[in-house]
Amino acid sequence: MLVLIASPTGFIELILFFAVGAIGALCLRKDDKLANVRSSFFAIVGSLWGTIFSVGALFALNTILFSIGTPVFPLLSVSIAIDKLSAFFILVISLVSLFCSIYGFGYVRHFYGKYSIGALGFFYNIFILGMLVVVSASNALFFLIAWESMSVASYFLVVYDRRDPNNISAGSLYLVMTYIGTACIVLAFLMLYKFTGSFDFTIIKTMMGTIPDWIKNVVFVLAVVGFGTKAGIIPFHGWLPSAHPAAPSHVSALMSGVMIKTGIYMMIRLFLDILSPIPEWWGLSLLIIGSISSLLGVLYALTEHDIKRLLAYHSIENIGIILLGLGAALTFTSLGIHSLALLGLVAALFHTLNHATFKSLLFLSSGSVINQMHTRNMEEYGGLIKYMPQTALFFLVGSMAISALPPFNGFFSEWLTFQTLFQGIASLDFYAKWIFVGAAAVLAFTGGLALACFVKVFSATFLARPRSSEVAHAKEAPFSMRFGMGALAVLSLLLGIYSGHISAVLGYVGRDVSIFHDVPALFLSSEAGRLVVGNFSSVSAPVLFALLLVVLVVTWGVVRFFVYKKQEIHTGITWDCGTDLTPRMEITATGFSRSIISIFKSVLKPSMQHAVEYHDAVSRYLPKTRTVTLGVRDMYRLYLYEPINGFVVRLSRYVKRLQNGIINAYMLYMFVVLLVVLFLAVR
Amino acid sequence: MSFIIWTIQLILVPVLSPLVIGVIRKSKARFQNRRGASILQPYNDVWKLMHKDEIISADASWIFRYAPYIMFAVTLVVGASIPLVASFLKNEYTSDILAIVYMLAIGTFFLALAGIDTGSSFGGFGSSREMTISALAEGGFIFSLLTLALISGSTNLFSISAFIAAPNLLSALPIMLAFLGFFIVLLAETSRFPFDNPATHLELTMIHEAMILEYSGKRLALMEWASANKLLIFISLAINLFFPWGIAQNLSLGAVTFGIVVFAVKVSLFCLVIATIESTIAKLRFFRLPDLLIVSFILNVVAIGLII
């Protein structure tokens, strides 16, 4: 059975499902409904098969290795290698796209007659297909083709809602930054090719000894920039907060939940597998990058009142947390402490899985809110828990999971990340130790700030009184959407409760990476569902969950039924100090986070503009209106993107002089080029 | 046997916590030259509130209705997971420092949501201030416990308590620094001076009281009781992790009795310290509080620097 599932045929079937879904949707584009049914059906079946296939591949004995067709080009071969690491990422992608596709089936209905559903189905399927191939390709050129199809498909999904000019500019920014990233990746692979003579990952890996150190360092920097752009690390994150919100919600969920993880996958693949042995500073610099990304990500999230932009900033924060685990793993690897390195890798992988579930859950439930409210501005929500109770519950689960509250899954992967950092503090030399202390401090503050941020999001969206008249018309989402969200919410809880077992499986995945082959399983073990780190720490998710639940139920039962049973509960109005309470008196999302923003004003640079209009322009005693605009200056746009943009524009202006429209001049250029080429060739 | 011990652990904190509040109030009254209410008064308050009818705002949702139960349950579970009178009751399931920190955060999360849920502006700013303080206190909280974990080589609270109980001059200084850091966090997390005034309903200054303003009856009783539990939890952590001398190390009648007596004495002393602080210093301005919390964090970083 296992052999049948985890076979090359299984993978080809997986690819075919999405390919058929994509082409079918394109063929049926005349009929919106049919196109939606067709593309969703194949996406759902394909992801379901992907889940089964990847679980099979996780427990298969060998790596699934195969090539399709005879190589037409000498360097490009369509070769696939699915080891445990790839299988794990296929599992994450399939799992999330399964629920997103179910949700999408109901969600895309509001695009009927507005935009082409066929095109959406086509790009959606190609997008998932691209991600699946990215994590399983073992030839650099083939990988780049998959990487590009994933990026281009996601670009078209970002600009899908094309009537909003903001989406078009977000898409352009995304495309430009993706290509800058891809350029770095291409350069990295070319440098590896120059020294190994191959684009095949396995051959590159065996030839690693022949590569000089400085080339490896350059490849590292290029890969961090290239894959980091896709993963959204600060300061290469510029595209992320504008592109993710622009896409339809189930696509944002996929982009934030899994697409950015393909960057993480390639970092793990390159740094831990292909390029090893590695110097110590790689891991330390990833730790620093991860710390900056997570802290700044959550701080920028606090300043947002666009719900999807806020979630996008949290993706940056969580990528930072994943990088903390990965950076620690790299550091330990370079120092030869493989058991701790495995712990770090497991923390990173577990957080990858967890972030994929709760972030897609949050995007899906915010999507169903936006669908009803027709705005992404949280200040116009309020009180939605009464109109959309189930969506609210799912969002609450997602908020608790992302804020690392037990017994949901986010807590346990952050726990593992913390443990990895603690181990580093306890066992490393001076400089590395202080970087680990800094990383742990950042992780601690990030947790607290994320909690504050999700109190803000949840209360501004779902609690108190409605802040706009739209709220009263809001209705609960249709069944398919609720099913997608509900399943992810349950998954969040289950991944938390079974964290002990899951980290054992992840330890098994990690040991498949060649440098960890002979690490004993003892250090990170799990018995009776407990997560155990050596003699240092242990926590049991099932006990924690059961204890919280039992104590909660008993408390409720005792207080409700054994103490003063006759108690009457009246409903009244909130204490209003004698005035009529209006929604304007509630705290807003902006107001809620303003005190934190003021505390971090050196980083966030908050801005405030006053404008007063007077009744009487001469005396200026009686103001008619006062406006206060609160905002935050975008430091990256101001100090990084704008200067680079200005430089490129100025450069282009100089280059433009060459293109003067005089044909004689162009002839001259050609002549000069010809001479130079001839000169070089003859020499 | 272990089941009985667990049950005792579970009910010890809620049983004793109103007494702690009573002792603090009594000592504060003495500082103000008043006789003050009996130290058992908080029990009467809870009893009285439990037998009153309730008014719930029409704007409130189930978050408001169930937050008191969640808060109370969380404090019970945390109370059962920390060392109180004995360090031999070690459990490997829930007594982890991070588990404790994040379980308490569940309570804060629901408390803040409940504060906003009624749509009152008081609740809203209370929640905003509470989340600001607790976000900034998190670093100091985790790092003070981390200092102890690094000294004792375990993040299990009972192991830490047992390890620190053996006197060791070498680690005395970092423990003291970490304690100072922890003490600041204690005052912040339990809404005490100089962070918050537990006895005020003045809208300019209240934080914790602002969030529970709309509660009445049983739910108010649970909220008050839960915050008393939280205070006792923090006091127990302070005395049993930083000064664990006298804690029962094995299961013998003498050791356990001595442990109980020592626990009672130390908790009373701690209540006196808190009452003294509340009677002698003024509340700080809200935007000065981050400075204090950063001091707490830096003290802990220095402590870690001394031991690693």
Side-chain angles (χ1 to χ4, degrees):
Chain A
M1 187 65 190
L2 204 62
V3 180
L4 266 183
I5 293 170
S7 64
T9 335
F11 189 74
I12 293 169
E13 279 167 15
L14 180 60
I15 298 299
L16 282 180
F17 274 123
F18 289 104
V20 170
I23 294 163
L26 211 54
C27 294
L28 294 170
R29 68 183 182 282
K30 293 272 188 280
D31 186 340
D32 284 347
K33 193 155 189 275
L34 226 56
N36 183 20
V37 171
R38 175 81 171 203
S39 73
S40 302
F41 174 77
F42 278 99
I44 292 169
V45 174
S47 335
L48 207 55
W49 174 245
T51 315
I52 298 169
F53 167 78
S54 53
V55 172
L58 270 183
F59 294 102
L61 292 176
N62 296 315
T63 303
I64 304 168
L65 273 172
F66 66 102
S67 304
I68 300 169
T70 48
V72 183
F73 306 102
L75 295 172
L76 168 71
S77 66
V78 185
S79 52
I80 301 282
I82 301 171
D83 58 359
K84 307 275 181 282
L85 190 65
S86 301
F88 168 73
F89 274 88
I90 293 176
L91 177 67
V92 175
I93 294 167
S94 325
L95 213 55
V96 173
S97 56
L98 173 64
F99 299 120
C100 290
S101 307
I102 296 172
Y103 174 95
F105 177 66
Y107 177 79
V108 299
R109 279 187 205 145
H110 77 275
F111 289 129
Y112 281 4
K114 213 165 147 196
Y115 299 114
S116 164
I117 301 296
L120 177 65
F122 176 74
F123 287 119
Y124 182 73
N125 277 291
I126 292 291
F127 176 47
I128 300 175
L129 180 66
M131 289 193 289
L132 288 173
V133 178
V134 158
V135 297
S136 38
S138 80
N139 176 290
L141 290 183
F142 180 47
F143 163 82
L144 281 171
I145 292 171
W147 184 260
E148 280 304 283
S149 55
M150 174 182 89
S151 303
V152 173
S154 57
Y155 163 73
F156 281 109
L157 291 169
V158 166
V159 297
Y160 183 68
D161 191 359
R162 61 181 182 275
R163 274 168 217 162
D164 184 350
N166 287 334
N167 292 353
I168 303 293
S169 70
S172 309
L173 180 63
Y174 172 43
L175 206 60
V176 169
M177 293 205 61
T178 298
Y179 276 103
I180 293 172
T182 311
C184 292
I185 298 169
V186 171
L187 204 56
F189 282 134
L190 283 177
M191 294 188 97
L192 287 177
Y193 173 72
K194 182 163 170 21
F195 284 88
T196 58
S198 172
F199 280 120
D200 196 281
F201 288 164
T202 34
I203 299 177
I204 295 176
K205 193 180 163 189
T206 48
M207 305 270 288
M208 201 34 65
T210 62
I211 300 180
D213 278 346
W214 71 272
I215 290 292
K216 274 171 78 171
N217 289 340
V218 173
V219 168
F220 169 75
V221 173
L222 288 172
V224 165
V225 174
F227 296 116
T229 308
K230 188 57 94 185
I233 59 174
I234 287 175
F236 311 117
H237 69 290
W239 61 277
L240 202 149
S242 46
H244 284 200
S249 286
H250 62 306
V251 179
S252 325
L254 271 179
M255 286 176 75
S256 242
V258 286
M259 185 188 78
I260 56 174
K261 309 294 167 43
T262 55
I264 297 290
Y265 163 78
M266 278 311 287
M267 286 192 199
I268 298 176
R269 175 65 75 203
L270 273 180
F271 304 153
L272 276 180
D273 190 18
I274 295 175
L275 293 180
S276 69
I278 54 173
E280 190 183 352
W281 69 271
W282 289 16
L284 295 179
S285 50
L286 275 193
L287 272 176
I288 293 171
I289 292 171
S291 309
I292 294 172
S293 294
S294 55
L295 193 59
L296 289 183
V298 70
L299 282 177
Y300 279 106
L302 271 164
T303 66
E304 279 299 332
H305 50 83
D306 175 331
I307 188 166
K308 280 173 97 176
R309 274 179 75 90
L310 182 143
L311 293 177
Y313 272 119
H314 274 287
S315 297
I316 297 173
E317 174 221 329
N318 280 284
I319 282 292
I321 295 174
I322 295 171
L323 281 183
L324 292 184
L326 184 58
L330 291 186
T331 314
F332 290 129
T333 308
S334 58
L335 296 172
I337 317 171
H338 283 143
S339 57
L340 289 179
L342 184 61
L343 179 68
L345 181 62
V346 168
L349 291 179
F350 197 16
H351 202 70
T352 303
L353 175 63
N354 289 343
H355 179 244
T357 53
F358 58 64
K359 184 47 69 65
S360 46
L361 169 61
L362 286 167
F363 263 113
L364 295 185
S365 37
S366 71
S368 74
V369 168
I370 295 164
N371 214 353
Q372 296 294 323
M373 298 296 300
H374 311 294
T375 173
R376 301 201 307 246
N377 187 354
M378 288 193 298
E379 310 291 19
E380 294 179 29
Y381 301 165
L384 277 168
I385 194 168
K386 299 190 192 67
Y387 302 92
M388 315 175 76
Q390 297 184 30
T391 305
L393 180 65
F394 301 142
F395 198 92
L396 184 70
V397 170
S399 310
M400 289 181 73
I402 198 172
S403 321
L405 296 182
F408 294 100
N409 55 1
F411 170 71
F412 295 97
S413 47
E414 283 201 20
W415 188 86
L416 280 173
T417 312
F418 262 121
Q419 296 301 339
T420 314
L421 297 174
F422 291 172
Q423 295 295 331
I425 297 171
S427 62
L428 293 179
D429 64 348
F430 188 75
Y431 294 107
K433 183 177 285 184
W434 280 104
I435 289 175
F436 273 69
V437 169
V442 163
L443 193 53
F445 279 113
T446 303
L449 292 168
L451 192 72
C453 193
F454 274 91
V455 168
K456 165 186 130 171
V457 186
F458 189 80
S459 57
T461 310
F462 293 104
L463 299 182
R465 281 182 301 281
R467 271 188 240 101
S468 71
S469 51
E470 285 279 312
V471 174
H473 306 298
K475 281 188 284 294
E476 188 53 275
F479 177 74
S480 68
M481 287 163 72
R482 276 181 288 145
F483 182 83
M485 294 185 278
L488 281 169
V490 172
L491 196 64
S492 273
L493 184 61
L494 288 181
L495 287 178
I497 296 175
Y498 291 104
S499 52
H501 302 93
I502 289 162
S503 57
V505 172
L506 291 177
Y508 172 75
V509 170
R511 265 194 296 284
D512 194 50
V513 177
S514 53
I515 48 169
F516 297 133
H517 271 323
D518 44 2
V519 177
L522 284 174
F523 198 73
L524 175 76
S525 63
S526 66
E527 68 245 36
R530 264 194 316 148
L531 272 172
V532 183
V533 176
N535 290 324
F536 196 65
S537 303
S538 69
V539 68
S540 164
V543 172
L544 212 61
F545 174 66
L547 204 61
L548 282 171
L549 197 67
V550 168
V551 173
L552 182 61
V553 170
V554 169
T555 309
W556 180 77
V558 168
V559 174
R560 177 81 180 70
F561 297 110
F562 290 90
V563 183
Y564 188 42
K565 259 190 293 188
K566 297 195 297 282
Q567 189 201 32
E568 286 176 27
I569 296 182
H570 309 283
T571 307
I573 54 165
T574 304
W575 183 49
D576 56 5
C577 309
T579 55
D580 279 337
L581 277 183
T582 66
R584 291 189 45 144
M585 296 174 190
E586 293 164 15
I587 193 149
T588 58
T590 313
F592 186 90
S593 50
R594 194 66 187 177
S595 48
I596 298 184
I597 293 173
S598 322
I599 289 165
F600 287 95
K601 62 173 177 277
S602 54
V603 184
L604 292 171
K605 305 280 180 208
S607 62
M608 200 197 301
Q609 291 170 341
H610 290 282
V612 189
E613 199 184 322
Y614 295 97
H615 274 293
D616 177 2
V618 184
S619 72
R620 297 167 65 102
Y621 279 123
L622 300 168
K624 192 155 78 184
T625 55
R626 283 176 188 275
T627 355
V628 176
T629 315
L630 301 176
V632 170
R633 257 183 292 169
D634 195 338
M635 299 276 280
Y636 303 95
R637 194 154 273 231
L638 216 58
Y639 296 113
L640 186 69
Y641 294 119
E642 296 274 323
I644 292 177
N645 186 34
F647 175 72
V648 171
V649 167
R650 273 199 303 278
L651 197 69
S652 316
R653 228 172 260 146
Y654 284 113
V655 174
K656 215 164 73 181
R657 291 187 190 162
L658 290 176
Q659 196 187 18
N660 46 16
I662 303 166
I663 209 141
N664 306 5
Y666 293 173
M667 302 281 274
L668 179 67
Y669 300 154
M670 281 189 222
F671 184 64
V672 171
V673 170
L674 192 67
L675 276 184
V676 171
V677 170
L678 275 176
F679 178 74
L680 287 177
V682 170
R683 189 177 63 98
Chain B
M1 184 63 195
S2 63
F3 183 75
I4 299 170
I5 291 175
W6 261 76
T7 320
I8 293 173
Q9 275 264 318
L10 203 61
I11 61 166
L12 199 60
V13 166
V15 165
L16 290 182
S17 65
L19 191 63
V20 171
I21 299 283
V23 171
I24 293 180
R25 284 198 190 144
K26 185 81 173 176
S27 346
K28 275 176 78 175
R30 284 293 158 92
F31 268 106
Q32 294 159 0
N33 273 338
R34 292 188 287 122
R35 277 180 58 201
S38 147
I39 56 169
L40 298 176
Q41 186 57 35
Y43 292 98
N44 296 333
D45 290 345
V46 168
W47 185 258
K48 177 189 73 184
L49 286 171
M50 282 281 181
H51 291 80
K52 285 204 177 281
D53 292 340
E54 261 180 66
I55 299 182
I56 290 184
S57 162
D59 297 318
S61 65
W62 65 266
I63 301 273
F64 181 83
R65 287 164 186 266
Y66 290 98
Y69 299 105
I70 295 173
M71 269 207 72
F72 190 76
V74 163
T75 52
L76 245 58
V77 173
V78 174
S81 314
I82 60 169
L84 293 173
V85 294
S87 67
F88 62 85
L89 295 172
K90 180 175 176 179
N91 84 67
E92 304 238 321
Y93 301 101
T94 57
S95 315
D96 182 74
I97 55 175
L98 294 168
I100 298 296
V101 172
Y102 282 96
M103 268 201 281
L104 286 171
I106 300 177
T108 314
F109 183 70
F110 277 96
L111 177 65
L113 288 185
I116 301 182
D117 200 10
T118 54
S120 143
S121 32
F122 296 116
F125 71 65
S127 302
S128 167
R129 290 173 183 174
E130 168 82 5
M131 293 318 295
T132 307
I133 291 178
S134 76
L136 294 173
E138 189 120 336
F141 193 9
I142 292 180
F143 264 52
S144 58
L145 298 182
L146 173 64
T147 311
L148 299 180
L150 290 173
I151 292 173
S152 56
S154 168
T155 61
N156 191 298
L157 294 167
F158 289 90
S159 311
I160 292 175
S161 183
F163 189 91
I164 307 283
N168 181 358
L169 271 182
L170 206 62
S171 51
L173 183 60
I175 289 175
M176 277 298 101
L177 288 173
F179 171 71
L180 285 179
F182 183 82
F183 189 67
I184 293 173
V185 173
L186 180 149
L187 296 175
E189 289 275 345
T190 56
S191 319
R192 294 272 142 193
F193 272 85
F195 291 89
D196 191 5
N197 185 348
T200 185
H201 284 106
L202 183 68
E203 57 265 31
L204 288 177
T205 56
M206 61 181 170
I207 299 176
H208 182 261
E209 291 300 317
M211 288 187 284
I212 61 170
L213 208 56
E214 291 293 324
Y215 278 108
S216 55
K218 285 181 186 176
R219 289 186 169 80
L220 179 60
L222 281 178
M223 277 292 190
E224 300 274 12
W225 202 352
S227 53
N229 287 347
K230 200 172 166 185
L231 178 61
L232 182 55
I233 286 168
F234 270 91
I235 293 178
S236 310
L237 284 177
I239 59 177
N240 284 333
L241 298 184
F242 297 93
F243 312 102
W245 316 303
I247 195 165
Q249 300 264 27
N250 52 49
L251 185 57
S252 69
L253 193 63
V256 172
T257 320
F258 185 64
I260 291 172
V261 171
V262 168
F263 180 71
V265 170
K266 281 195 288 195
V267 170
S268 315
L269 275 177
F270 218 91
C271 290
L272 277 179
V273 171
I274 290 178
T276 315
I277 287 176
E278 298 215 329
S279 307
T280 49
I281 65 169
K283 201 179 152 304
L284 277 181
R285 206 158 59 83
F286 182 71
F287 283 103
R288 291 280 307 284
L289 298 181
D291 304 346
L292 199 54
L293 290 168
I294 293 302
V295 166
S296 143
F297 175 69
I298 288 172
L299 283 174
N300 287 312
V301 171
V302 172
I304 289 178
L306 286 175
I307 50 172
I308 58 176

